[in-house]
Amino acid sequence: MKGFRLLRWSGSVLSPRTRPCPHTRPILLSKRFQSTATAALQLESNDDSNPSLPSHSPTLDLHTLPSPPPYRASRSAKLAALHARLSLPPRVPIETLARCLVDASADPHPSYNNSALCLLGNDLLGYYTSELILCRYPRLPMVIIFASMQAYCGPATLAAITREWGVDPAAEPGGEVDPGLLQFKRLIPGNADYHSSGRLVKNSQPPAAEEKPWNRGLSSLTVGDNYFGELEPRMKRKPTDYLERPELVSQDAKALEDRGVTLERASTNFVRAVMGALYLHAGRNAAKAFFRAHFQSRELAVEKLFEFRQPTRDLSRLCAREGLVSPVARILSETGRQSRHPVFVVGVFSGRDKLGEGQGASLDEARIRAAIGALKGWYLYSPLEIRVPSEVEEGAGGKGWDGVLIDGGEVIV
């Protein structure tokens, strides 16, 4: 894989104020307009009447802006502290970090919110997390893979990371708000008063029945849905509507944003935007190091995510699929059979090979635990040397890509 020159294609997601500039330019005074990206007012260098730059334009009213103007980012102590707390490289401008804190529900203008950076960061987090899980545990079932993705980079995890970083939400978005606060339009709760009419929001409209599509199979979970096997939130339309009018997808997404978002959703978009901004400004290596420090370093007990309903039957089907001898349970040891608290140790054998071992207060409990241990030993197989595709670069260490184990899939009974 070859490296890309970020200065050529990063302009699609970066506003002109935050693009890396290789040349020096005269000092500019940015003036914030809602309908355009930037309107710059160049100051004369030989003007003696204005020896010092003004703090802001006298005609600019901060209370009319949906988000803080970019020039206020360099004067925010919260932003400077957050930049240092995250150990971001100097190549990441503090104006970009301020843009990561502005949700699309607060400022709909794409040049001032974090929607583009959030989209890139979401793909990066999904890519790095999925390759880590699949290369470390190549035999995991799809349900466990989705649960692991939720644990590493799900909305609840990213919201907790936002709190760990010390980011506080703003009460209401606006131009006068400190740029170091998370700004978003809050979702109206269900117990709020509906337009001062005395009725609750949840009672103002009849609840719509939740429709579960009948054709959500494995292909829908892995291709049509998001990284966690969930349906993307959309308006109630027929599938043919999106095929006939593709512009409805963006319109419905904007309508969902206009309703407001929760704190968890805004925190999730912020963390994803930081990941995307770091990748654009500092490159792939800095983004991967940031992922290792804040996401991969979290400990996840994958063995506790399993829940078997009939482990003995699943083990029998697994042995039949792999061409092994049918499993047989045997007592290894026991104590206190006639007492109130007996303990039985049972092992599951396939021929002469012991697949698993378990203990319990009865023979059935010990046999079931032994079957569960055998299934976990199969699904939690991990190679000794883990190498993910993103680490393989052209000429990096002189090693090429070695394919990982491709398993036959989970047992279907």
Side-chain angles (χ1 to χ4, degrees):
M1 293 183 289
K2 299 182 179 180
F4 297 97
R5 297 188 62 182
L6 301 179
L7 294 179
R8 289 186 176 181
W9 61 279
S10 61
S12 59
V13 295
L14 294 180
S15 60
R17 301 178 308 278
T18 57
R19 295 179 191 170
C21 182
H23 306 287
T24 58
R25 296 179 180 179
I27 301 176
L28 300 179
L29 180 61
S30 297
K31 202 171 184 179
R32 171 65 152 85
F33 290 95
Q34 180 64 20
S35 59
T36 57
T38 302
L41 177 63
Q42 183 174 359
L43 297 180
E44 297 292 340
S45 58
N46 55 355
D47 188 5
D48 298 335
S49 60
N50 296 326
S52 60
L53 292 177
S55 58
H56 56 82
S57 176
T59 61
L60 184 62
D61 188 7
L62 297 179
H63 294 81
T64 61
L65 300 180
S67 62
Y71 68 84
R72 295 191 58 202
S74 59
R75 305 170 186 175
S76 174
K78 291 181 178 294
L79 271 179
L82 180 61
H83 195 283
R85 193 182 303 122
L86 299 183
S87 300
L88 298 179
R91 294 187 60 182
V92 179
I94 199 168
E95 291 82 6
T96 304
L97 184 59
R99 178 181 173 183
C100 295
L101 288 166
V102 180
D103 192 76
S105 59
D107 193 343
H109 201 287
S111 297
Y112 296 96
N113 58 34
N114 59 5
S115 57
L117 298 175
C118 174
L119 180 62
L120 176 60
N122 183 33
D123 292 340
L124 290 173
L125 287 178
Y127 171 55
Y128 290 154
T129 307
S130 59
E131 69 173 2
L132 173 66
I133 296 174
L134 293 176
C135 292
R136 179 175 294 179
Y137 302 106
R139 291 177 176 172
L140 284 182
M142 287 302 303
V143 179
I144 307 301
I145 292 178
F146 288 142
S148 303
M149 292 284 294
Q150 282 276 5
Y152 274 114
C153 60
T157 303
L158 299 187
I161 290 177
T162 304
R163 293 191 299 267
E164 293 173 2
W165 288 353
V167 178
D168 298 327
E172 287 291 336
E176 74 284 357
V177 179
D178 192 321
L181 296 176
L182 181 61
Q183 303 168 57
F184 62 100
K185 181 181 179 182
R186 295 181 180 270
L187 181 66
I188 301 178
N191 57 353
D193 191 1
Y194 183 73
H195 292 295
S196 302
S197 60
R199 295 182 301 167
L200 301 182
V201 174
K202 60 182 179 181
N203 298 331
S204 60
Q205 298 178 357
E210 182 180 1
E211 297 182 0
K212 297 183 179 179
W214 57 272
N215 57 347
R216 288 194 66 222
L218 187 61
S219 299
S220 176
L221 293 175
T222 56
V223 179
D225 300 339
N226 57 12
Y227 291 109
F228 315 115
E230 300 173 347
L231 285 172
E232 293 290 349
R234 287 185 176 181
M235 306 294 288
K236 187 177 180 181
R237 296 184 187 274
K238 297 181 181 180
T240 55
D241 296 340
Y242 294 106
L243 296 178
E244 297 174 356
R245 300 178 59 189
E247 66 276 5
L248 292 178
V249 178
S250 59
Q251 294 178 4
D252 292 348
K254 185 178 183 303
L256 290 174
E257 295 292 344
D258 292 340
R259 297 179 183 177
V261 296
T262 60
L263 176 59
E264 180 180 273
R265 179 69 179 275
S267 302
T268 301
N269 294 339
F270 160 67
V271 178
R272 292 171 179 173
V274 171
M275 189 71 182
L278 187 62
Y279 183 85
L280 284 180
H281 287 281
R284 178 177 55 245
N285 295 332
K288 194 62 184 294
F290 188 81
F291 174 79
R292 294 194 192 100
H294 295 274
F295 301 93
Q296 185 177 342
S297 60
R298 295 177 176 270
E299 183 179 358
L300 175 63
V302 184
E303 65 277 0
K304 296 183 180 180
L305 301 178
F306 287 88
E307 183 180 356
F308 300 97
R309 296 183 178 180
Q310 294 183 349
T312 55
R313 185 182 64 175
D314 295 347
L315 184 59
S316 299
R317 293 293 181 88
L318 177 62
C319 293
R321 191 191 71 179
E322 298 298 328
L324 303 177
V325 182
S326 299
V328 178
R330 302 172 185 172
I331 299 179
L332 301 180
S333 62
E334 62 175 285
T335 179
R337 180 185 284 264
Q338 302 298 329
S339 65
R340 296 181 58 183
H341 303 285
V343 177
F344 299 93
V345 180
V346 177
V348 177
F349 293 84
S350 175
R352 294 185 178 181
D353 300 328
K354 185 171 70 171
L355 303 180
E357 181 179 327
Q359 63 180 7
S362 63
L363 290 175
D364 290 340
E365 181 183 357
R367 178 172 57 88
I368 291 176
R369 289 188 175 183
I372 292 176
L375 290 174
K376 287 184 177 181
W378 173 266
Y379 286 127
L380 294 178
Y381 161 77
S382 180
L384 297 179
E385 183 180 357
I386 301 174
R387 189 175 178 84
V388 296
S390 61
E391 295 179 356
V392 181
E393 300 178 4
E394 186 176 357
K399 294 184 179 180
W401 166 248
D402 295 331
V404 296
L405 172 67
I406 301 177
D407 188 66
E410 56 188 293
V411 178
I412 301 177
V413 295

